[in-house]
Structures are given as C-alpha cells and as structure tokens.
C-alpha cells in the first residue's frame, strides 16, 4: 500500500500571483510574487540584483503591465546598454509606454529624495504601474542617514501607498550576505519576501546562488538555488526535478547482466574452461536486473574504460536499447571509433542508429552544471540506457562531499523515475576499494571488473587476450565469474590496413 506524501502537507489558499519572469523561481513560489507584495533583494555588489530586478520589471512589459525602475546608482544609458546585452529591450518597452526609467543618480539631500519619491508615486498613480523596482534602498539610506526615517518612507510609500493599488515592488539592498539586511527591522516588518543573492567561488569559478530567506505565501523547504546570468533567459535557475518518492523498479521488464556484459560473441568470453563456462552460464539465469536499475561498475584502472564501455554499448544495442553515453574522460571520437570496432566484431544491428555520445571535461563545470547536463541530455535523447564513463572524475569537481552524494542520489532517483537504466563506470584499483566507496550503497547493484595480468602471458596464442574476472554484488548473491576480453579481436578489426 502506498501512502500519499501530500497527505502530510496542507496546501494554503494561494494569493493571486505576479510572475517574476524567472521560470524556476515562479515554480518554487507557486506562480510568482503575490500581487502587491514588497520583495527585498539583498546581496553584495555584482551578485545580480539589478539584473534580477530588471528581469521582473521586463516581465511586466512582456505582459502589457506598466513598470517603473527607479535607479539611484546607474545612469540610464548604462542600464539600457547592459540590459540590451542580456536580451532585454527596455527602449522598446518605453516606446510602447509600458516602461519608465527614473534616473536619480544626482540626488544628494533629503529634500531632493522626497521630491524624487513624490514623483515616483505620481508616476505610479498616473500610469497605473503594477511593477516597481528601487535600486537601491541602501542608496536612499546614504542620503537620509536616519534609518528610522527611511523605514518610515518605505512603510508609507510601498506598504501603505502601493500595496492597496496592487503595485508589486522589488527593493534592492546592497548588503553583504549574513549581515542583517537593512539592519533596522525592515525585513521583519515591511517586506513579504527576502531573497539574498550570493556568489561563491568554486575552484575559481563563480557560482551564483539565490537564497530564499523568507516568502510568506509559499512553503519553501529548499532554500538555496544555484543560478546563472545568461543572455535571453537572464536569470537561469537550476531547479532539479526532485521526485519526493523513490519510484519502484519494474521487474516485469528486465535486462540480463550476462548478455549485457559478456555474452558478446567474439569479443568477450564467459569463463575459461568448459566446466567454468557451464557454471557461469547457469549463474546468468539469476543475473537479471529490473529496468530502471542503477548499476555501478568498478573497473580496474589497467583496463581501458572504452573497452568495457564499447562492449556494454554494443551488446545493449543488439538487444534493441537506445543508448546515451556521457563520458568524463574519453573523447566522443575515441568512443565512437571503439564502438564502431566492436560493432564490426559482433555484427551491427542495421536499423539502430549509433548511440549519442556526450563528452565533457568535468573540471570546467560545477557539479550542479554537470548533473544538469546529464539530466538535460536524458530529456533530449530519451534513451532507455544511460552509460556514464568516468564517474570518479566528477568527484573532484565538488569538494563538499554531502552535496555530491545528494546530487548523485537525486540523479539516480530521477533516472529511475524515467525508467532509464544506468551503468556508471568508475575506475577504482580494487574490489575492496569499490565496496568501501561512499557512493556504492546508492546503487542497486555493483560489479567489479578486474584484470588478471597473469593470463596475458599464459595465453600465448592470443597475446592480447585479457583475462579478467567479474564480481557481481547483488542483494541476494555475490558471484565471481572469469571473463576473457578478446582485445586482439577488437584490435584486428580496428587496425586499418
Ligand atoms: N551577458 C552576461 N553573461 C553573464 N554574466 C553577465 C552578463 N552580463 C553581466 N553579467 C554579470 O552580472 C553581474 C552584474 O550583475 P548586477 O545585476 O549588475 O549585480 P548587482 O546589481 O548585484 O551589483 C556582473 O558581475 C557580470 O558578471
Ligand atoms: Mg546593481
């Protein structure tokens, strides 16, 4: 019997929302900001606050709502130029009468500020603007100096004045992360939401993060979301699809591990002598995995992973599967060449196209980007099998281990949910080390493929035959099967005369 998780969570009556235009954020916020909300956007310089606020205002223009951007820090020309580079044409919005830019960079004293704010209120009322951005209230604080006065101004204009007219406001604060945002209780009393933009350096690369500190109307359980600034999308939030429940495996659709791993005619041989072959073959009857299983394959570093990769890929192709290969250590070309060779040995299925191969150097990406990349490749190619080559290589990318395990686990659950069976090749020196890896328990099954160099010498008639043994750790059985990779067969086919 299954229990509906949602039973433990009571949905609220949702307010009418204003989409921020930031897709992922609107999803988390159940549609966007409530109409009339005051949103505080805080963060250090360069974290993307102006860009974020501009995106919110621009969404108004796209939806035919009038918007105003009051800027105390940036001259009109700079703002327009910067936003044009990000794909937001505010001049066009202005021509349509949907946007007003108020440049207030020369305001120096309190009187001028009051006049400016009065102008803002007048313009909002005249144009019936529905979205306003203030960049920034920190600049206002520098002019007024008395925090209680600023608080009073903010309260009067944005809460008492704009809210009843359903004007949604974004207030920017130039404040470092961790500091009390405005320091004078503004966040507690006035605003409906507090967002903090931060950036971290991850191996010298910027990783921007949005933290939702407060959002009165939405139940938030995850608070930090990595994002990127990108022309077109502007604020691109990574929202991993997180299945709340662990999806069940479908045992009515299974894959034979023996067929996948070594019953490939001419390429890999099961067992060494006749007796062993029979014994191993009988074990194979038990070695079936449900579709959607996630399998970790530890490979001894002396065996080149493309050999294992092409063997698995070609047998799965013969079984009619659609394969996506993501490699973190081999080029698409070397994988494609190797695959072509093994297909020539085993006999290529005519109707099947070659697997899609995505090859990336993991060190130029952050972990979130890598997991994103795999997920979007799955969405794009819709494979039935995912083959990951060099899983160990992405571990170096994220130093915070808990984060890495959580992301990997999420990827496994997502693949399972989509019914994609995963094989993850991991180069590791011994089966003992494979068993001790913290990631191993996350998989349904682990296999270790070990080379046995002794045999290379023993089989003189086939000097390149590589005797290996394969150990399978199944929840119910642990078997060790001798296997011979006939690398020379492969090499004969691959050597061009
Ligand atoms: N086309 C772009 N692609 C990627 N990043 C950009 C682009 N244009 C600007 N940025 C980044 O956006 C940042 C500026 O964001 P901004 O919204 O002005 O920050 P803040 O208002 O918090 O100071 C810059 O640091 C820059 O790195
Ligand atoms: Mg700014």
């Amino acid at each position: 019997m299954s229990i509906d998780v949602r039973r433990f969570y009571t949905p609220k009556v949702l307010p009418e929302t204003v989409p921020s235009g930031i897709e992922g954020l609107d999803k988390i916020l159940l549609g966007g900001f409530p109409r009339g909300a005051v949103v505080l956007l805080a963060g250090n310089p360069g974290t993307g606050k102006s860009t974020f606020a501009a995106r919110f205002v621009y969404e108004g223009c796209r939806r035919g709502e009038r918007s105003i951007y009051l800027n105390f820090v940036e001259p009109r020309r700079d703002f327009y130029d910067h936003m044009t580079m990000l794909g937001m044409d505010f001049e066009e919005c202005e021509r349509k009468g949907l946007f007003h830019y108020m440049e207030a960079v020369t305001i120096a004293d309190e009187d001028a500020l009051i006049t400016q704010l009065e102008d803002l209120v007048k313009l909002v009322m005249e144009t019936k603007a529905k979205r306003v951005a203030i960049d920034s209230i920190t600049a206002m604080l520098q002019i007024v100096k008395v925090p209680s006065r600023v608080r009073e101004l903010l309260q009067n204009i944005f809460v008492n004045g704009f809210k009843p007219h359903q004007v949604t406001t974004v207030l920017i604060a130039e404040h470092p992360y961790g500091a009390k945002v405005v320091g004078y209780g503004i966040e507690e009393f006035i605003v409906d939401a507090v967002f903090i933009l931060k950036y971290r350096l991850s191996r010298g690369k910027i990783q921007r993060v949005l933290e939702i500190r407060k959002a009165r109307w939405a139940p938030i359980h995850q608070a930090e979301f990595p994002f990127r600034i990108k022309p077109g999308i502007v604020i691109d939030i990574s929202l991993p699809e997180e299945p709340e429940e662990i999806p069940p495996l479908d045992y009515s659709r299974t894959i034979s591990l023996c067929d996948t791993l070594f019953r490939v005619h001419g390429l890999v041989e099961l067992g060494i002598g006749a007796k062993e072959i029979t014994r191993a073959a009988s074990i194979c009857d038990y070695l079936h995995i449900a579709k959607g299983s996630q399998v970790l394959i530890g490979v001894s570093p002396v065996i080149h992973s493309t050999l294992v990769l092409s063997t698995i890929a070609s047998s799965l192709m013969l079984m009619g599967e659609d394969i996506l290969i993501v490699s973190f250590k081999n080029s698409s070309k070397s994988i494609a060449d190797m695959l072509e060779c093994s297909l020539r040995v085993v006999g290529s299925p005519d109707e099947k196209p070659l697997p899609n191969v995505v090859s990336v150097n993991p060190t130029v990406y952050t972990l979130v980007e890598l997991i994103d990349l795999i997920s979007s490749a799955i969405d794009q190619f819709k494979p039935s099998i995912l083959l990951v080559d060099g899983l160990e290589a992405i571990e170096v990318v994220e130093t915070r281990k808990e984060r890495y395990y959580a992301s990997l686990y999420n990827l496994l659950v997502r693949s399972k949910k989509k019914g994609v069976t995963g094989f993850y090749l991991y180069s590791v020196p011994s089966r003992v080390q494979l068993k001790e890896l913290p990631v191993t328990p996350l998989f349904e099954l682990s296999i270790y493929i070990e080379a046995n160099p002794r045999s290379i010498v023993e089989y003189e008639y086939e000097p390149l035959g590589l005797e290996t043994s394969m150990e399978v750790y199944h929840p119910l059985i642990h078997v060790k099967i001798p296997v011979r990779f006939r690398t020379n067969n492969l090499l004969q086919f691959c050597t061009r005369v």
Side-chain angles (χ1 to χ4, degrees), residues 49-50 73 135 174:
K49 301 178 299 297
S50 303
V73 283
D135 198 349
E174 295 281 348

Side-chain angles (χ1 to χ4, degrees), residues 245-287:
E245 254 186 283
I246 297 174
L249 288 171
D250 180 4
Y251 285 98
S252 67
R253 294 157 61 236
T254 58
I255 297 178
S256 155
L257 270 183
C258 289
D259 289 349
T260 305
L261 292 160
F262 47 73
R263 246 185 217 162
V264 193
H265 180 71
L267 195 60
V268 186
E269 258 163 33
L270 190 62
I272 307 297
K275 223 167 135 192
E276 264 182 333
I277 294 173
T278 320
R279 194 181 67 92
S282 66
I283 293 171
C284 286
D285 292 343
Y286 298 95
L287 294 179

Side-chain angles (χ1 to χ4, degrees), residues 42-53 69 74 82-83 85-86 135 172 174 197 199 206 208 228-231 234-235:
N44 278 327
T47 47
K49 301 178 299 297
S50 303
T51 310
F52 185 114
Y69 199 109
E74 208 177 0
H82 182 200
M83 296 313 162
M85 285 197 303
L86 288 168
D135 198 349
I172 290 176
E174 295 281 348
L197 302 188
Y199 58 63
I206 291 179
R208 297 179 197 275
R228 276 158 282 178
I229 295 179
K230 266 194 199 162
V234 186
I235 303 278

Side-chain angles (χ1 to χ4, degrees), residues 136-328:
S136 64
I137 56 169
T138 316
M140 284 172 61
L141 256 170
Q142 278 156 4
I143 297 162
V144 179
K145 303 251 168 35
V146 186
S148 61
R149 278 284 291 142
V150 177
R151 197 181 139 189
E152 198 185 308
L153 278 172
L154 296 175
Q155 174 80 37
N156 284 338
I157 299 171
F158 302 109
V159 183
N160 306 344
F162 287 177
K163 205 171 239 201
H165 289 93
Q166 304 209 307
V167 182
T168 311
T169 312
V170 170
L171 303 175
I172 290 176
E174 295 281 348
H175 274 264
Y177 166 60
K180 254 202 157 306
V181 174
V182 185
Y184 309 98
I186 288 172
E187 64 274 41
E188 284 87 351
F189 301 109
I190 294 182
V191 304
D192 301 284
V194 177
F195 298 131
I196 299 172
L197 302 188
K198 328 177 216 186
Y199 58 63
R200 298 198 183 101
L201 287 180
S202 174
R203 293 169 301 116
K205 287 193 268 305
I206 291 179
Q207 186 166 22
R208 297 179 197 275
V209 177
L210 160 73
E211 181 193 329
I212 303 182
R213 182 66 65 88
K214 163 179 169 180
R216 277 182 179 158
W217 65 99
I220 307 289
H221 55 271
Q222 185 180 337
E224 278 197 338
F225 301 90
F227 73 93
R228 276 158 282 178
I229 295 179
K230 266 194 199 162
I233 307 174
V234 186
I235 303 278
D236 182 19
I237 292 194
S238 306
L239 259 202
E241 180 201 327
E242 293 180 330
E244 289 177 41
E245 254 186 283
I246 297 174
L249 288 171
D250 180 4
Y251 285 98
S252 67
R253 294 157 61 236
T254 58
I255 297 178
S256 155
L257 270 183
C258 289
D259 289 349
T260 305
L261 292 160
F262 47 73
R263 246 185 217 162
V264 193
H265 180 71
L267 195 60
V268 186
E269 258 163 33
L270 190 62
I272 307 297
K275 223 167 135 192
E276 264 182 333
I277 294 173
T278 320
R279 194 181 67 92
S282 66
I283 293 171
C284 286
D285 292 343
Y286 298 95
L287 294 179
H288 287 264
I289 53 166
K291 285 215 168 167
S293 297
Q294 305 301 314
V295 181
L296 180 66
I297 303 182
V299 182
S300 160
V302 301
I303 304 175
H304 201 278
S305 68
T306 49
L307 184 66
V308 181
L309 195 69
S310 55
T311 307
I312 298 177
S314 47
S315 22
L316 286 166
M317 273 182 76
L318 289 176
M319 288 151 70
E321 304 288 350
D322 293 308
I323 302 157
L324 166 67
I325 298 176
V326 178
S327 178
F328 295 120

